[in-house]
Amino acid sequence: LMILIAKETIEQQANRLLEKSIIHYQQKAVGAVAAADSEREALNYDQCFIRDFIPAALVFLIQGKTDIVYNFLIETVGLQKKKRRVDCYQPPIGLMPASFKVESLEDEQYLHADFGDKAIGRVTPIDSCLWWIILLRAYTKATGDLELAQSDNFQEALAFILEICLGPQFEMTPTLLVPDGACMIDRPMGLSGHPLEIQSLFYLALRAGREMLVRNTEGEILVDKINNRLGSLVYHLQNYYWLDLTKLNQIHRYQSEQFGESVVNKFNIYPESIPYWLTEWMPDQGGYLAGNLGPGKMDFRFFSLGNLVAIMGSLTTERQSSDILNLIEHRWSDLVSKMPIKLCYPAISGLEWRIITGCDPKNTPWSYHNGGSWPVLLWMMMAACQKMGREDLADRAMAIAELRLAQDDWPEYYDGKNGRLIGKSSRKFQTWTIAGWLLAKLLRENPRYLDLVCFEADTEAIACTI
């Protein structure tokens, strides 16, 4: 009984704090602040970030507070860049802001958007566009409101985003090329190129966008482009990003410097680049999608968000999805330990840390993006585990989180190899930490809501075997 009361108290506190985080604009709820930590400088944590708002928006949809999500979608469409660039220093057409803030001028309110031009490091928010499409689909499925997504403004917004993603490029691969810091890991961490997080979100956004497009002449053209890209993207990620013991043995015996269409080592990965830790760490039963892949480069780190989202979207095969969760189970002490769940594993250190991060004092080993533990990932872990019938893993992670999150004032992230320390620069009362736990709990209690964020295997895209 006491355990039940404690859990109810945590849930009540989480709901109260989430309600308190809501931002109002012209007397309408339009989003939520990133964090409400009165002990630290606000910086941009008093703004509403598109990526941060996603778990909160999904909680609101499940709780029937759909007007907040409706208003958020309306206002962000209004903030999207729709005018042609005057010069190369302006955001491209279709880009969604990283965040926005309610400002006032002479008693008149307006929304001030940040497209990365004011962000620390001036990073470009590529993932905002992708999360926005995913949320639009979730709103439509939760409310049955097809009219919003099918309106001219929203069809134009979708088309702008999809044209950015599917437009001509110098690249010869189906993945999306982005600079470092273009996603949740928004500081230098060696992610430039084709990071897994962006590819998984890209895949979900294409699937969601295809559902939302009106099948008129312009819509059908975009659907054809999506189907062509999806088939190639799935094949590319399932075959070239996948790592397990069998694949490691193949890479270990790769021949390099080969030429031609039929070579096995298509990206000229050198066997010597396999890190020693991975040869010991990879379990006999299990595997995962690599963090990045490009010419002569494979990032062997495990990135949780990209792998969990891949399971949610059926980007990975049934076997691969099961193997990812098997790996998490086998390497529980490394990836989950005292606080779910590591953003990436392992942390980079020494000279490599100095070169890749630029000696970033916030991204020291096992802190922040560099191997820190992020409770917001709980909801993605819950969704992935439920989809694969592995609720036991998600329940185990939730039980760990519930011991500390409320007690520690819902911090942004945790430090240390085992996640025992509250992040040294972590904001407390972090909205997506609160919403991530609440969303995981709601999904566990109501599995039917998985449909808002998950996809079954695609049957429409054009199969690719290149």
Side-chain angles (χ1 to χ4, degrees):
L1 180 60
M2 291 301 295
I3 293 174
L4 179 61
I5 291 173
K7 287 183 178 179
E8 289 175 346
T9 302
I10 294 172
E11 184 175 2
Q12 290 170 354
Q13 184 190 66
N15 276 301
R16 175 177 56 81
L17 291 170
L18 183 58
E19 191 72 24
K20 186 179 177 181
S21 73
I22 294 174
I23 292 174
H24 290 85
Y25 169 63
Q26 296 181 349
Q27 300 182 330
K28 296 181 297 185
V30 296
V33 294
D37 188 346
S38 59
E39 297 179 358
R40 291 182 178 265
E41 185 183 359
L43 295 177
N44 54 357
Y45 283 84
D46 60 352
Q47 300 186 26
C48 178
F49 285 79
I50 287 184
R51 81 167 68 94
D52 292 37
F53 185 63
I54 298 302
L58 292 168
V59 169
F60 292 142
L61 289 176
I62 292 172
Q63 292 178 339
K65 301 174 184 177
T66 58
D67 58 316
I68 303 176
V69 183
Y70 175 87
N71 294 333
F72 172 85
L73 291 168
I74 290 288
E75 297 302 335
T76 47
V77 161
L79 295 173
Q80 184 189 38
K81 285 295 180 182
K82 296 185 174 68
K83 294 182 179 179
R84 294 202 172 275
R85 291 177 289 176
V86 177
D87 56 53
C88 64
Y89 302 108
Q90 295 296 317
I93 293 176
L95 189 66
M96 284 287 180
S99 64
F100 63 85
K101 184 177 180 179
V102 179
E103 302 277 16
S104 298
L105 179 64
E106 298 180 354
D107 297 326
E108 290 290 327
Q109 286 188 325
Y110 66 95
L111 295 180
H112 188 82
D114 175 20
F115 290 88
D117 48 314
K118 292 173 283 295
I120 297 171
R122 301 302 188 260
V123 291
T124 307
I126 306 299
D127 62 339
S128 293
C129 299
L130 308 177
W131 276 121
W132 186 88
I133 297 178
I134 295 165
L135 180 59
L136 177 61
R137 172 188 180 262
Y139 169 82
T140 303
K141 293 184 78 69
T143 63
D145 180 8
L146 296 174
E147 185 177 347
L148 181 67
Q150 293 179 355
S151 66
D152 291 342
N153 280 348
F154 276 73
Q155 288 295 302
E156 181 185 54
L158 279 171
F160 280 150
I161 296 172
L162 292 170
E163 289 293 350
I164 293 178
C165 296
L166 299 171
Q169 55 182 2
F170 287 106
E171 277 288 290
M172 296 291 286
T173 60
T175 42
L176 199 59
L177 178 66
V178 297
D180 214 353
C183 51
M184 177 180 171
I185 300 177
D186 57 5
R187 292 168 83 105
M189 276 288 288
L191 298 186
S192 57
H194 312 88
L196 177 64
E197 178 175 334
I198 287 291
Q199 311 317 318
S200 294
L201 292 175
F202 179 39
Y203 173 79
L204 256 67
L206 291 181
R207 293 284 304 270
R210 188 176 63 189
E211 289 185 27
M212 297 296 100
L213 284 169
V214 174
R215 299 297 180 99
N216 53 23
T217 303
E218 294 80 7
E220 287 293 352
I221 292 172
L222 280 173
V223 168
D224 287 343
K225 288 183 179 180
I226 289 172
N227 285 335
N228 276 296
R229 191 66 166 268
L230 278 174
S232 300
L233 182 64
V234 170
Y235 182 86
H236 186 85
L237 291 165
Q238 287 182 0
N239 287 273
Y240 302 130
Y241 274 64
W242 183 250
L243 288 171
D244 57 14
L245 195 56
T246 299
K247 186 65 174 290
L248 270 184
N249 273 288
Q250 291 174 357
I251 298 174
H252 180 62
R253 294 173 56 81
Y254 267 170
Q255 299 293 313
S256 59
E257 308 300 333
Q258 294 179 307
F259 175 80
E261 296 180 0
S262 60
V263 300
V264 176
N265 188 4
K266 295 183 184 298
F267 294 92
N268 201 35
I269 305 300
Y270 294 99
E272 293 79 7
S273 68
I274 299 175
Y276 176 75
W277 65 264
L278 183 57
T279 63
E280 302 295 318
W281 193 74
M282 182 70 78
D284 291 336
Q285 302 296 323
Y288 63 98
L289 295 172
N292 211 330
L293 178 66
K297 169 190 174 183
M298 176 172 268
D299 187 340
F300 292 92
R301 285 176 291 177
F302 175 87
F303 288 90
S304 298
L305 192 151
N307 276 279
L308 294 174
V309 168
I311 296 173
M312 290 161 53
S314 295
L315 170 56
T316 43
T317 66
E318 286 280 322
R319 175 64 183 273
Q320 288 174 337
S321 296
S322 294
D323 279 352
I324 292 169
L325 297 182
N326 286 337
L327 179 133
I328 292 174
E329 182 178 28
H330 286 302
R331 296 293 175 247
W332 190 266
S333 60
D334 292 326
L335 299 177
V336 181
S337 194
K338 301 298 181 180
M339 180 54 65
I341 177 174
K342 285 281 185 296
L343 190 60
C344 73
Y345 182 90
I348 52 175
S349 59
L351 179 61
E352 185 183 19
W353 170 79
R354 293 175 179 274
I355 293 172
I356 290 177
T357 73
C359 300
D360 185 350
K362 199 171 181 180
N363 263 336
T364 52
W366 308 111
S367 179
Y368 200 44
H369 298 318
N370 189 15
S373 299
W374 291 72
V376 65
L377 298 173
L378 275 169
W379 79 265
M380 299 177 208
M381 185 172 181
M382 178 63 75
C385 288
Q386 283 185 298
K387 186 170 183 289
M388 298 306 299
R390 291 301 310 272
E391 291 88 349
D392 57 307
L393 287 182
D395 290 344
R396 188 177 168 191
M398 286 289 285
I400 292 171
E402 287 171 3
L403 291 174
R404 294 191 56 191
L405 282 181
Q407 174 186 316
D408 294 340
D409 294 333
W410 307 93
E412 181 181 16
Y413 64 92
Y414 285 78
D415 285 345
K417 278 190 176 183
N418 51 20
R420 295 180 67 190
L421 302 173
I422 298 174
K424 61 184 177 182
S425 298
S426 177
R427 296 306 195 276
K428 293 187 176 181
F429 302 107
Q430 187 82 14
T431 301
W432 72 352
T433 297
I434 298 163
W437 178 84
L438 263 177
L439 180 55
K441 190 174 191 303
L442 289 170
L443 290 174
R444 186 67 174 96
E445 294 170 350
N446 306 279
R448 66 184 182 277
Y449 290 117
L450 283 176
D451 193 40
L452 300 181
V453 292
C454 291
F455 294 80
E456 295 304 319
D458 190 17
T459 57
E460 188 175 345
I462 299 172
C464 175
T465 56
I466 297 174

